[in-house]
Amino acid sequence: IGPEGAEALAETLKDNKSVELINLSRNYIGRDGTKALADALKVNQSVRQIDFQDSDIDVVGAKELAEALKINKSVKDINVTSNKIGPEGAEAFAEAVEINQSLKTIYLSSNGIGTKGAEALAYALRTNKSVELINLSRNYIGRDGTKALADALKVNQSVRQIDFQDSDIDVVGAKELAE
């Protein structure tokens, strides 16, 4: 649907009280479409699930979504797999995770969040009590990111599943997670 279609959908979502799932995977909504949808999510309280997998979301779009998640309390599941949010976008999501206590699942796979993004998310998970599943696969978080997440999981009581597939975790990182 591209950015224009996303902007049109966003206008409808501002007043809609029944839509619970938005799946725009592979629709390449880009920066403008993401901003419009994020603005709609600031007022919409019916949407429970968002799937923006492979939708051409960059760090600016990630920051817009994160700002919306700081306000929105209805979204439980968000999937932004295979976008380009990078470490800065992950940091923005981490800030939202610190504030938002309604999110249950977060898919950030294949976003190049790196060690810096993993460390930010780890910090947020220390205080968040709602996230149950977080997918960080294919992000190459490395030893330091793994250690930060392992330390966070020692105090976090809500996370039940965490996916580290193909995330550059070495033996030291695996031992940290096992402790």
Side-chain angles (χ1 to χ4, degrees):
I1 67 172
E4 282 185 46
E7 290 169 1
L9 177 62
E11 283 305 310
T12 300
L13 284 174
K14 286 180 180 176
D15 297 319
N16 185 287
K17 293 178 180 25
S18 61
V19 171
E20 293 185 4
L21 168 66
I22 303 171
N23 186 340
L24 295 177
S25 294
R26 297 176 184 87
N27 272 288
Y28 309 104
I29 60 176
R31 184 178 287 177
D32 293 339
T34 305
K35 180 180 179 355
L37 289 162
D39 287 344
L41 288 170
K42 289 177 182 176
V43 296
N44 179 291
Q45 293 301 310
S46 67
V47 173
R48 304 280 181 257
Q49 294 178 279
I50 302 168
D51 191 341
F52 292 163
Q53 179 176 335
D54 195 17
S55 292
D56 196 32
I57 298 172
D58 63 7
V59 64
V60 174
K63 287 179 179 181
E64 294 286 349
L65 279 175
E67 286 302 312
L69 291 174
K70 288 179 182 178
I71 298 166
N72 183 295
K73 302 298 182 236
S74 67
V75 173
K76 306 290 182 219
D77 308 303
I78 185 163
N79 183 354
V80 291
T81 294
S82 297
N83 283 288
K84 300 172 264 185
I85 71 168
E88 279 186 67
E91 288 174 340
F93 272 103
E95 289 175 17
V97 167
E98 277 187 81
I99 294 167
N100 185 312
Q101 296 295 317
S102 61
L103 279 173
K104 300 280 185 204
T105 61
I106 305 169
Y107 288 86
L108 294 170
S109 178
S110 300
N111 268 295
I113 70 167
T115 299
K116 190 174 177 185
E119 289 173 337
L121 288 162
Y123 183 81
L125 289 174
R126 288 178 166 276
T127 56
N128 181 284
K129 296 181 181 13
S130 65
V131 173
E132 296 173 359
L133 180 151
I134 186 163
N135 185 326
L136 300 174
S137 62
R138 295 182 298 278
N139 273 302
Y140 307 102
I141 60 176
R143 184 179 288 175
D144 291 340
T146 305
K147 179 174 178 7
L149 286 159
D151 289 344
L153 293 174
K154 289 175 186 170
V155 296
N156 178 293
Q157 299 296 307
S158 65
V159 174
R160 301 285 179 253
Q161 295 179 15
I162 191 161
D163 189 338
F164 291 117
Q165 177 187 347
D166 199 18
S167 291
D168 194 32
I169 296 174
D170 62 9
V171 173
V172 174
K175 287 180 180 178
E176 288 282 346
L177 286 169
E179 290 180 0

